[in-house]
Each structure stands twice: as structure tokens, then as C-alpha cells.
Amino acid sequence: MKLERLDKIIAARTGYSRRDAKELIRRGRVEVSGKTARTPDAKIDLEADTLRVEGRELLVKEHLYLMLNKPAGVLSAARDPKQPTVVDLVPEKFRRTGLFPAGRLDKDTEGFVLITDDGEFAHRILSPKSHIPKTYEARLNGPVTPEMIRAFEDGVYLEDGILCLPARLRVLEEGPHPLAEVVITQGMYHQVKRMFVSHGRKVLSLRRTAMGGLRLDPKLAPGEAREILDKELGTILDKI
Ligand code: URA
């Protein structure tokens, strides 16, 4: 059981002020586990209760973890004054204060972005020490050679001389513009694109398909998000 004051949780989950939250409770606009709440200092159990404010169901859980299928053209940021961000795409029922993307994809990269309000968990998966594998599909302007596969396994030197940790590279589709799968355990700026550039290839499009052992849900169309289930959360930390 994890008890919190009702007005505090309404404010945190909606962006209303504490004063507005108290007023909504007084007006009978708030239901906790099906019963109308009457007092702002009433407690809500974050692990067991449900919450409805003005008829809208809000998730009370302490932390939220979302899998978003990021479309190209959207920034991996919490907010931006001019451009749409991944947090702007979060469906209304999941909106709450403090959401941010745990890790960044380039604006033109698509695929799996994890959005959460749990700073500690984000730190665990982003820390360079964790070596969480991230899997990408890259469409290339030329073939993947056996030498490239070996070089990725040994660790690629980027054009500025930085040596990357070993990465896995395999071909998913042959052709003039092959589709390659790359698994890296770091998160350097433009890393996948730069790894291919150092072998004379241009990445025509890039998509993240997994974080750790958790794959992007194929049911999510670009721009859609769903909650990551408790049983899935641990698999992100799996070394695949
Ligand atoms: N590597 C890149 O080059 N871009 C991304 O968005 C992610 C990994």
C-alpha cells in the first residue's frame, strides 16, 4: 500500500493546481475506486485505487512507462517551443507531469522511444555502464560486406578516431538498398549513422526496434503509444 493525499495526486496527474484539485473534490467531481471523494486530505492508494476526475480516468500509479513508436520528424524531447515532441504524442489518458523520453533518437529516426517519469529507471537504462543493447534497422545505400560485419564485431573507429564497443550487424534484406540490423550497447550522438559512414555507407532511414530484450510492439502505428507492462519492464534490462 502506498498512500498519498488526493489533491496532491490530482495535481500531479493533471497539471491542475492543488487549489483547483481541492475545488474539484469539493464539487464532487472526483471519484476514488467508484466512490465520490469529499475531502482533499483523503488518501489514495497508488497501488490499488482507481481515480476519475470530471469523468476522466487517470492512472494513479507512482510511475508510468510508455513505449512510443516515434514517427520521423518529431523531436525526442519533453517539450519544444516550435516543434512537436514525443511527449506531445502521449495519449491523454497517460498525460501527467514529469514525463520525458529516456534517451534520444534523431529527429529523422523512427521507432521505440521509452517515455517515463521515473528518473531512477531512466538513469539505469541510459548509464553507459549498463550496456543495455539497442537494436536498430538501417536502410543502406550499398551492400553489407563480410568485412563490415567483422569490423562491427571488433569495434568500429568513427571518423574522429573514437572506438565504438563491439556491435552486432546482420543483413535482413538484400538488394541495392539492403536492410541491416545493428545492435549497439552505447548511445553516442548519431552513432549508428556514423558507424556506417566510417565504412562508406549512408543510412537512408533508421528505426529502433528494441531496447534490451523488449521489442517495439508491431501493433503500434507510428505516433501510437502503449503502457509497458510490469512483466515487460525487467526485460529492458536484459542483455540479449
Ligand atoms: N544512431 C543514430 O545515428 N541515430 C539515432 O537516432 C540513434 C542511433
Side-chain angles (χ1 to χ4, degrees), residues 64-79:
L64 186 61
Y65 308 88
L66 298 174
M67 173 191 286
L68 170 82
N69 185 359
K70 175 189 171 307
V74 174
L75 284 188
S76 290
R79 65 190 69 81

Side-chain angles (χ1 to χ4, degrees), residues 35 56 81 88 110 115 128 134 154 182 193 198 215 227:
K35 293 204 187 79
R56 191 157 66 87
D88 294 335
E110 301 175 12
I115 296 177
K134 285 134 208 142
D154 292 342
V182 193
K193 291 174 186 164
S198 76
R215 291 199 74 83
E227 216 180 334

